[in-house]
Amino acid sequence: MEAGKRQLILDLHRIGALKFGEFKLKSGASSPFYIDLRSIISYPDIIKNIIQLLKSELKDKHFDLLTGIPYTALPLAAQVSVELETPLVYQRKEVKAYGTGKLIEGHYEEGQTCLIIDDLITTGESKFEAAEGMEHAGLKVQDFVCLVDRSFNGAEILASRGYKLTSIITIEDMLSVLGSENMLDASLAQKVRDFVATPLEKPRLTFNERLSATSSPMTRRLMEAILRKKSNLVLSLDVEDSQKFFDILDKTGSEIFMLKTHVDIIQDYTPEFVTELQALAKKHDFLIFEDRKFADIGSTVRKQFRSGVYRIADWAEYVTVHMIAGEAILDGLFGELETPRSGFLLARMSAKGNLISETYTRQVLEVGKRRKDCVSGYIGHGVDVEDIKRFRNKIPQDQLLLMPGVNLDSTGDGLGQQYLSVENAIRGGADAIIVGRGIIASDDPRAQARRYREAAWNTFETMNK
Ligand code: 5BU
């Protein structure tokens, strides 16, 4: 190993930026080591060494601009920029939403390539957020350089989105240097090795265990319905004619645990529509979910939900909610209701080119986690199984992930819809699939509903053994 790297490891250990023992992580799990590089800026000698190491790592890379992810890596990138005489830009940390303010500081031109420096890589999430901000501003991102790779498979994760990761030192490097200096005993080193060799997935509970750990009655109802009906299928019954609606529903009701409506699609809507819907819900034992996608201020959505022609709150047990207007929308919708109702937040969408960013998704999940009283879960999507798994990992086990954009025979609809297979959706961690045209556009909706239910349930069962 290069002398500079060896020195860096010893220095980080000396200043307490790298510790071994037993540490509690944010997730509640415990880790046999702890890395926090925020204090390195106070040690000019260490910084000097790091800059040399970064410079030599950057030698063969092509880029027009440099950036560091605030805060720890930004001063490092600034120094490298001066030494390499390459312009620096940086992304404002506090500007979270695009379009509301200047996101990138510094001078740059669209189409330029920006290399991103960071201190640590664990899951890759903050790297994706940084890349997304740069790309949103018209820059290209190819390379990431991190000081320390403490991940299980950071390079692979970044490669899945086409980025290359180079790391100055890895955990293994640290173990071998500190081991050779007798600064770390072998059994602790082995513990660290085992820890890093395990993917950062939360311990997976079975669906039954998750149900036991769930306290929200509205969320429990969904979980119980899934188990009772042995179905992870939500039918999205987007037809305009009420007769056709009830005809398909009566044929498919036994296969689904929940029906999803867009009630404003129905051309011949009258209040009797609801009476008939509730009768079929009783007959076939399914829940009712209106995909209204509320998005306005609290006081407006309250009226939209409770009044008007459809009086949605009277009959829809669950509704979809956009978080674009902020958390108060939840109080507007679910506060002071006689019969409890619950929401699904739109965290990711299946439509091509949709404007939801990684940062937005993270913020939606943060609100949803705080509001389990009225948020039963999320609507989400993903590009493949691994992507869905990473997303699912961020969702608490006592909330659900529903996935639209699922079809067994098609990959899209020519209007932006992007389809996943049933197996990929469930294997990724969706608790239920939402299927519309895969079932309703067929000549035999009953048979198709059974086919979707079985495909989903079989995969779900093998995962919950
Ligand atoms: P499809 O016929 O299976 O493509 O219907 C999908 C349904 O799910 C349809 O009602 C959409 O409005 C709904 N949907 C979606 O497809 N993608 C999303 O990201 C969200 C909802 Br949110």
Side-chain angles (χ1 to χ4, degrees):
M1 186 186 309
E2 224 177 287
K5 294 190 182 182
R6 198 178 167 84
Q7 188 59 48
L8 176 59
I9 292 166
L10 294 171
D11 285 341
L12 292 179
H13 190 249
R14 176 174 52 84
I15 66 169
L18 164 65
K19 291 185 187 136
F20 296 92
E22 193 164 330
F23 304 91
K24 213 156 182 80
L25 299 178
K26 242 194 307 183
S27 62
S30 88
S31 163
F33 68 102
Y34 174 80
I35 305 176
D36 182 350
L37 301 178
R38 277 174 293 193
S39 65
I40 55 174
I41 39 160
S42 308
Y43 301 88
D45 283 353
I46 299 181
I47 297 286
K48 252 193 213 160
N49 182 19
I50 290 175
I51 301 305
Q52 291 315 312
L53 290 167
L54 283 170
K55 266 171 63 183
S56 77
E57 214 58 77
L58 297 188
K59 236 181 15 243
D60 309 319
K61 306 205 184 304
H62 301 283
F63 50 95
D64 308 305
L65 305 164
L66 268 177
T67 193
I69 301 181
Y71 294 102
T72 309
L74 186 53
L76 304 178
Q79 292 221 33
V80 176
S81 144
V82 172
E83 297 226 358
L84 295 182
E85 298 183 14
T86 304
L88 179 82
V89 292
Y90 71 90
Q91 198 166 326
R92 300 178 69 95
K93 211 173 157 64
E94 67 277 17
V95 183
K96 295 280 174 76
Y98 305 134
T100 55
K102 198 169 167 205
L103 186 66
I104 312 284
E105 297 294 351
H107 181 77
Y108 59 89
E109 280 167 30
E110 230 173 86
Q112 284 187 312
T113 298
C114 184
L115 180 138
I116 303 181
I117 297 177
D118 205 0
D119 55 340
L120 273 179
I121 175 153
T122 309
T123 62
E125 287 313 317
S126 56
K127 311 298 170 282
F128 290 143
E129 282 190 24
E132 197 177 56
M134 293 293 162
E135 286 163 0
H136 188 79
L139 294 169
K140 290 194 195 115
V141 177
Q142 289 166 354
D143 281 289
F144 285 86
V145 177
C146 287
L147 274 187
V148 180
D149 184 351
R150 56 151 297 166
S151 72
F152 166 66
N153 59 348
E156 237 174 81
I157 292 175
L158 293 195
S160 72
R161 303 253 187 115
Y163 306 118
K164 184 164 184 294
L165 171 72
T166 312
S167 303
I168 309 272
I169 48 179
T170 63
I171 296 293
E172 193 51 50
D173 294 338
M174 293 179 167
L175 298 180
S176 86
V177 169
L178 297 173
S180 71
E181 298 283 334
N182 289 326
M183 295 166 115
L184 182 67
D185 77 53
S187 71
L188 188 49
Q190 192 51 44
K191 255 195 187 166
V192 174
R193 240 174 233 122
D194 294 344
F195 184 83
V196 179
T198 322
L200 259 182
E201 283 183 26
K202 295 193 187 124
R204 228 168 41 83
L205 304 177
T206 65
F207 197 73
N208 273 307
E209 288 166 337
R210 286 176 50 201
L211 170 59
S212 316
T214 301
S215 53
S216 151
M218 287 299 283
T219 310
R220 291 182 64 90
R221 275 183 73 195
L222 288 155
M223 293 174 154
E224 282 159 359
I226 289 174
L227 292 174
R228 190 170 61 242
K229 292 213 64 184
K230 296 191 175 6
S231 168
N232 315 82
L233 179 60
V234 179
L235 174 66
S236 177
L237 194 32
D238 301 338
V239 297
E240 287 105 327
D241 178 72
S242 63
Q243 188 134 33
K244 183 167 179 200
F245 181 97
F246 289 118
D247 176 50
I248 297 178
L249 189 54
D250 203 18
K251 290 184 175 134
T252 53
S254 58
E255 305 294 328
I256 66 177
F257 79 95
M258 183 153 74
L259 170 74
K260 184 174 85 67
T261 54
H262 278 295
V263 71
D264 53 353
I265 289 180
I266 302 290
Q267 283 164 349
D268 49 348
Y269 178 88
T270 61
E272 283 70 56
F273 177 85
V274 168
T275 317
E276 201 168 340
L277 175 57
Q278 285 173 326
L280 278 184
K282 196 155 181 220
K283 173 175 169 193
H284 294 294
D285 181 24
F286 58 75
L287 298 163
I288 302 174
F289 175 30
E290 162 64 23
D291 191 4
R292 174 61 180 74
K293 299 188 177 72
F294 290 102
D296 216 315
I297 58 168
S299 110
T300 304
V301 294
R302 179 164 285 204
K303 293 178 196 145
Q304 290 175 319
F305 190 27
R306 301 173 194 197
S307 323
V309 176
Y310 302 115
R311 305 187 65 86
I312 297 167
D314 286 354
W315 52 271
E317 297 156 293
Y318 302 89
V319 288
T320 41
V321 186
H322 274 299
M323 284 315 296
I324 191 77
E327 188 171 342
I329 194 173
L330 297 175
D331 302 314
L333 286 170
F334 304 112
E336 295 153 51
L337 273 176
E338 269 171 36
T339 317
R341 303 296 186 208
S342 187
F344 279 90
L345 307 185
L346 288 111
R348 277 180 168 196
M349 288 191 73
S350 65
K352 194 170 179 192
N354 74 78
L355 300 182
I356 290 183
S357 67
E358 299 263 347
T359 309
Y360 180 83
T361 300
R362 176 169 54 72
Q363 291 174 313
V364 169
L365 297 181
E366 279 166 17
V367 175
K369 278 181 207 171
R370 281 200 296 275
R371 299 302 302 269
K372 290 181 183 165
D373 55 311
C374 61
V375 175
S376 287
Y378 309 87
I379 308 290
H381 204 252
V383 290
D384 54 32
V385 174
E386 290 310 312
D387 182 46
I388 304 168
K389 271 190 190 165
R390 276 198 298 278
F391 171 54
R392 171 75 243 195
N393 260 326
K394 289 185 261 178
I395 297 177
Q397 306 260 9
D398 56 354
Q399 290 181 311
L400 297 170
L401 170 61
L402 309 186
M403 196 158 292
V406 174
N407 198 299
L408 284 167
D409 309 304
S410 162
T411 56
D413 67 355
L415 288 174
Q417 178 69 296
Q418 306 176 107
Y419 286 125
L420 284 164
S421 71
V422 173
E423 199 193 342
N424 283 357
I426 301 281
R427 277 210 300 128
D431 298 295
I433 51 167
I434 298 176
V435 182
R437 284 162 290 180
I439 294 170
I440 63 177
S442 132
D443 294 336
D444 190 350
R446 191 196 310 266
Q448 286 302 324
R450 183 166 307 143
R451 177 174 171 233
Y452 277 88
R453 184 191 70 78
E454 281 173 0
W457 186 255
N458 290 342
T459 311
F460 180 79
E461 269 204 310
T462 56
M463 292 181 52
N464 282 288
K465 275 204 181 111

